[in-house]
Amino acid sequence: MSGSQSGFFQKVGSTRVVPLYGKIVLLFVFFLLVSNFTTNYINLVLNRSQQVKLMNELLVKELKENYITASTQFDVYSYDQKLEESQKALAQAALPSLTRANSMAFGVRDDGSFLYFASPTLKWTSFPDQTALQKLISLRDAGTSEGPIEFQAGGQNFFGYYKYQKGWNVFLVRAEDQQVFLAASWSIFWVVGLLILVITLVTLVLSVWLLRHLFRYVDLITKSLMEMQESQELSSITLHGAPNDDITYLGLSFNALSSTIRNLMNIFRKFVTQDVASRAYKERQIKLEGTKQELTILFTDIKGFTYMTETLGNDIIKLLNLHYDKAIRHI
């Protein structure tokens, strides 16, 4: 099994190893995006409620102005009986306040026909929602001559305010297209969302750079462990200049463990051959039960061994190892 690096990932054999800082960055970005978009959506809902409230106040104000204009034009009409001119004057007076697409102001009779209709984009000849109109008539008959109104036309929803004008016998209505009105807030939402993504991207780049710097010794430890696994040899990890933190402590602990294992292996090699020691290290086990093999055995006697033992003392072990090393080569 060998260690290698491929792009963002490191590999041990066929297993991809994702850097720790990568997981931290991805988790951080995920929670950052969720938090920001959730906050943005909550702000959208709260601001939309405030916008609706302000729009309703504006609609009521403009409806009152239209009502005053309608009352004045009724007096004019009562004097000159010029209906078309009064209708034209009512529509022209309402148009300046209709700044949005599908904004409208109109006066509707009980039969659904218009006294006048003003809109920058729409061209209606009669009121399309008879259910809403019948509701207005019922409210008027019950004594309610003004209030909020909601109606539908062509699959679109409209909201606004109405006020009954007794002289003309019409319901004066000032209304807005709900979808068009809310589209502005959605546009703001997506613009803010785009800014959040840009800021998150910048934060991501800075976070990767910062975390790679902070976790550079994690990469060093990981790389060193992969090299040891590939070479099947234990060694110490170089930690010069490492900060005094838990990652450095982890590396130092590994170095201490590695040193202990190397010392044990050195002791073990004094009692077995290099091949046996290497095989035991790679196979992670020592088979003491023995194996059946064909062997060549050489019996030798070292001349003057007793005298050399008395003379050399403990150094006789070195002499024996030297003898075994040369003798085994000829077997």
Side-chain angles (χ1 to χ4, degrees), residues 52-68:
V52 170
K53 180 181 178 181
L54 294 175
M55 175 55 69
N56 287 336
E57 293 176 356
L58 180 62
L59 292 177
V60 170
K61 176 178 177 295
E62 293 176 356
L63 181 61
K64 289 180 178 179
E65 294 175 354
N66 292 344
Y67 182 84
I68 294 173

Side-chain angles (χ1 to χ4, degrees), residues 55-319:
M55 175 55 69
N56 287 336
E57 293 176 356
L58 180 62
L59 292 177
V60 170
K61 176 178 177 295
E62 293 176 356
L63 181 61
K64 289 180 178 179
E65 294 175 354
N66 292 344
Y67 182 84
I68 294 173
T69 302
S71 298
T72 302
Q73 284 299 320
F74 181 75
D75 293 337
V76 173
Y77 168 71
S78 298
Y79 175 76
D80 61 14
Q81 296 296 307
K82 295 180 180 180
L83 179 60
E84 291 185 2
E85 291 185 4
S86 294
Q87 290 174 320
K88 184 177 180 180
L90 289 171
Q92 289 178 344
L95 272 175
S97 63
L98 307 179
T99 56
R100 291 183 177 84
N102 297 349
S103 295
M104 65 184 69
F106 57 85
V108 59
R109 301 183 180 94
D110 288 2
D111 60 359
S113 62
F114 289 127
L115 171 65
Y116 75 95
F117 181 86
S119 174
T121 54
L122 299 175
K123 304 294 181 182
W124 290 354
T125 57
S126 62
F127 190 67
D129 193 337
Q130 291 299 316
T131 301
L133 180 58
Q134 290 301 318
K135 183 178 180 180
L136 294 183
I137 295 173
S138 299
L139 289 172
R140 179 195 62 191
D141 295 342
T144 303
S145 60
E146 60 183 289
I149 180 177
E150 294 182 357
F151 58 93
Q152 294 181 338
Q156 295 174 291
N157 296 320
F158 295 85
F159 71 98
Y161 278 82
Y162 79 94
K163 185 176 179 64
Y164 178 68
Q165 212 287 332
K166 187 175 181 180
W168 290 108
N169 191 26
V170 295
F171 295 99
L172 299 178
V173 178
R174 174 67 177 90
E176 292 284 344
D177 187 332
Q178 185 175 4
Q179 183 176 358
V180 173
F181 174 72
L182 297 179
S185 58
W186 276 113
S187 298
I188 296 174
F189 174 81
W190 291 118
V191 169
V192 174
L194 180 61
L195 291 176
I196 290 174
L197 288 177
V198 172
I199 294 173
T200 302
L201 181 61
V202 174
T203 304
L204 174 63
V205 174
L206 294 177
S207 298
V208 169
W209 178 83
L210 179 60
L211 287 175
R212 289 196 68 172
H213 177 73
L214 293 176
F215 284 86
R216 62 191 184 279
Y217 284 98
V218 174
D219 289 339
L220 175 62
I221 293 173
T222 303
K223 183 178 179 181
S224 299
L225 291 176
M226 289 180 176
E227 291 175 351
M228 293 179 205
Q229 188 170 15
E230 183 177 5
S231 63
Q232 292 294 302
E233 289 290 338
L234 280 175
S235 61
S236 296
I237 301 173
T238 303
L239 296 171
H240 298 305
N244 186 20
D245 55 21
D246 51 351
I247 295 175
T248 303
Y249 177 76
L250 178 64
L252 293 175
S253 298
F254 175 83
N255 286 345
L257 179 62
S258 175
S259 177
T260 301
I261 295 175
R262 289 200 307 272
N263 290 336
L264 291 175
M265 288 299 299
N266 290 333
I267 295 173
F268 183 60
R269 288 190 180 98
K270 292 181 179 180
F271 298 95
V272 297
T273 63
Q274 180 66 31
D275 292 340
V276 173
S278 298
R279 187 167 62 252
Y281 178 79
K282 292 180 180 180
E283 295 178 358
R284 301 293 189 269
Q285 61 180 342
I286 301 175
K287 296 181 179 180
L288 299 178
E289 66 275 13
T291 57
K292 185 177 181 181
Q293 296 180 353
E294 292 186 2
L295 302 176
T296 300
I297 301 175
L298 174 64
F299 294 93
T300 61
D301 183 27
I302 300 176
K303 185 178 180 180
F305 182 74
T306 302
Y307 174 74
M308 286 187 289
T309 302
E310 295 173 351
T311 304
L312 297 176
N314 291 335
D315 290 337
I316 193 65
I317 301 298
K318 296 180 180 179
L319 179 62

Side-chain angles (χ1 to χ4, degrees), residues 296 298 323-331:
T296 300
L298 174 64
H323 167 70
Y324 293 148
D325 181 59
K326 292 185 177 181
I328 290 173
R329 295 178 186 177
H330 298 285
I331 299 177

